[in-house]
Amino acid sequence: MATYLTAVKLFILSSLVWQFILNRLTPEQRFQIVQFYLENNGSVRNTYRALRPFYRPQNHPSEQLIRLTMERFRTTFTLIDNSHPQRLRTVRTEEAIATVERSIEKDPNESIRHRAQELDLCPSTLWNLKKDLGLRAYKIQLVQELKPNDHQARRRFVEWAQNEIAVVPDFHKRILFSDEAHFWLNGYVNKQNCRIWSEANPQVYVETPLHPQKRTVWCALWAGRILLQKR
């Protein structure tokens, strides 16, 4: 097992070394390697020999480096390093504002990050462009789901209440409206709103019981008073 791990480490180290050496070649030198490789019908040995007059012995590309250069050319189709991506556009032009407006009309629910990637803009610029358009971020609201029969039930209740008020004028003062809510007693933490800034992961954990204690509060409201009950 130790021998296997040593071999893996040596392989990774050698790959990093070759990648470092490959990155030291200029685009012109890589082009020369590709050119000689094609002229010699894909022979690495002949390409190595053809490159001798152009290099000193201490910096002559090895056969392994020639293979890596050709493999990189086959997979990326380029001889230029692209390790540093181009900076996204930060301009706030009329054209950019119009593009953002059309994108928002098409999909108003898309996030800032995804829209910025699609439009090739910085997220901060996109945020400012939304302000230029007079837009604000709004959260969705959760409401009780209504079933198809609920509309008819509401209509029947209104008709019944109107009939009762016709008989007893202060009937609406006798209606009791009630609701209840649950409050957790274990100090519930919403991890979506909790962020810890640190150079390393502090590994902070919050233990939560399987069945946390809670207090249920029931409240009723009517014209005469407020009824409150805890349990």
Side-chain angles (χ1 to χ4, degrees):
M1 186 64 180
T3 304
Y4 172 76
L5 293 177
T6 302
V8 171
K9 292 179 180 179
L10 290 175
F11 174 77
I12 295 175
L13 180 60
S14 62
S15 300
L16 294 175
V17 171
W18 281 115
Q19 186 67 27
F20 173 75
I21 296 175
L22 181 61
N23 289 335
R24 294 183 61 183
L25 292 176
T26 65
E28 291 77 12
Q29 290 173 328
R30 295 171 189 169
F31 176 78
Q32 187 183 49
I33 291 175
V34 174
Q35 183 180 15
F36 285 162
Y37 182 85
L38 297 177
E39 291 177 355
N40 289 276
N41 299 321
S43 172
V44 176
R45 170 62 63 177
N46 292 337
T47 302
Y48 175 81
R49 292 172 179 171
L51 292 171
R52 283 180 179 175
F54 301 93
Y55 292 89
R56 290 177 294 181
Q58 59 268 26
N59 63 354
H60 187 285
S62 64
E63 294 185 12
Q64 178 66 14
L65 185 56
I66 295 173
R67 293 190 183 94
L68 289 174
T69 301
M70 294 306 305
E71 181 64 24
R72 183 174 186 173
F73 180 71
R74 293 191 190 98
T75 55
T76 63
F77 304 102
T78 182
L79 299 173
I80 302 175
D81 290 326
N82 193 24
S83 57
H84 302 287
Q86 295 181 353
R87 185 177 180 180
L88 299 178
R89 293 184 295 139
T90 59
V91 293
R92 295 170 64 180
T93 62
E94 295 296 332
E95 180 183 358
I97 294 176
T99 302
V100 171
E101 186 175 14
R102 289 192 298 268
S103 175
I104 294 175
E105 290 178 354
K106 183 179 179 180
D107 185 6
N109 298 323
E110 191 173 22
S111 67
I112 291 277
R113 180 171 60 87
H114 289 165
R115 197 185 305 278
Q117 291 176 351
E118 290 181 359
L119 302 180
D120 191 23
L121 293 171
C122 288
S124 58
T125 301
L126 179 58
W127 184 263
N128 292 328
L129 290 174
K130 287 188 174 184
K131 291 182 179 179
D132 294 340
L133 292 170
L135 303 177
R136 294 182 177 86
Y138 295 94
K139 294 183 179 180
I140 61 173
Q141 297 185 13
L142 302 180
V143 297
Q144 183 176 350
E145 178 186 10
L146 294 179
K147 301 294 184 179
N149 296 332
D150 292 342
H151 298 281
Q152 294 297 328
R154 288 186 172 189
R155 180 179 294 273
R156 288 194 299 269
F157 172 79
V158 171
E159 294 174 351
W160 170 79
Q162 288 178 340
N163 294 332
E164 294 295 328
I165 292 175
V167 178
V168 183
D170 62 343
F171 172 78
H172 62 283
K173 297 182 179 180
R174 304 180 184 181
I175 300 177
L176 194 73
F177 300 93
S178 65
D179 200 357
E180 65 179 15
H182 305 288
F183 297 90
W184 306 102
L185 304 180
N186 64 330
Y188 172 76
V189 177
N190 184 355
K191 65 178 183 180
Q192 300 299 333
N193 297 331
C194 181
R195 296 292 184 269
I196 301 176
W197 294 89
S198 175
E199 295 180 354
N201 189 346
Q203 302 294 338
V204 177
Y205 299 94
V206 177
E207 296 183 355
T208 58
L210 181 61
H211 302 289
Q213 294 182 345
K214 63 181 179 180
R215 177 63 62 89
T216 300
V217 178
W218 178 86
C219 181
L221 176 68
W222 65 300
R225 54 185 295 192
I226 298 177
L227 302 179
L228 187 65
Q229 182 179 6
K230 302 176 182 179
R231 62 178 185 270

